[in-house]
Amino acid sequence: MNTALIKTVVLLIISNCFMTYAWYGHLKKLSARPLIIAVLVSWGIAFFEYLVQVPANRIGHAGNLSLAQLKILQEVISLSVFVPFSILYMGEPIRWNFLCAGICMLGAVYFVFKG
């Protein structure tokens, strides 16, 4: 398997853990605080996301992944991180239509990587 692809996927998983928490974690932990506090905390977390995400995209692009492939990988990984986060951390229920959307995303991965 392509080493650049593996490194890219691992780094994107890490970056999405940071970003998911930066984007949505404040809804649970900082909802009673002023908006500026939530924004500043989220920016601070997002800084660490960028420290991993930018190298991930550089490695992937240098490893011959197209921009479309990088974007679809990002979206699928984002949802793969978001679903457990929303269920386990935020307590949101999973619905059948979310599963259908996930299947559509897998189809997108197939088609963007198909020769």
Side-chain angles (χ1 to χ4, degrees):
M1 183 173 247
N2 184 342
T3 304
L5 177 62
I6 293 169
K7 287 179 182 177
T8 299
V9 167
V10 169
L11 290 172
L12 286 175
I13 290 169
I14 294 167
S15 75
N16 272 279
C17 289
F18 281 110
M19 201 50 150
T20 299
Y21 191 77
W23 282 10
Y24 303 106
H26 64 88
L27 297 173
K28 183 173 184 176
K29 294 292 185 181
L30 299 174
S31 62
R33 304 292 296 265
L35 179 60
I36 189 68
I37 299 297
V39 168
L40 293 174
V41 169
S42 292
W43 278 353
I45 296 167
F47 171 77
F48 294 101
E49 185 266 344
Y50 275 89
L51 288 177
V52 183
Q53 184 267 345
V54 171
N57 284 328
R58 284 187 171 213
I59 291 166
H61 196 256
N64 295 320
L65 291 172
S66 70
L67 292 180
Q69 289 171 328
L70 286 169
K71 183 59 180 172
I72 291 296
L73 275 176
Q74 165 62 31
E75 295 302 328
V76 169
I77 291 168
S78 179
L79 286 175
S80 299
V81 169
F82 178 77
V83 169
F85 174 84
S86 66
I87 294 167
L88 300 173
Y89 184 76
M90 297 296 289
E92 295 279 326
I94 191 161
R95 294 184 174 87
W96 70 270
N97 55 335
F98 297 167
L99 294 174
C100 293
I103 291 168
C104 289
M105 290 296 292
L106 291 176
V109 170
Y110 171 78
F111 285 111
V112 80
F113 281 92
K114 186 170 175 19

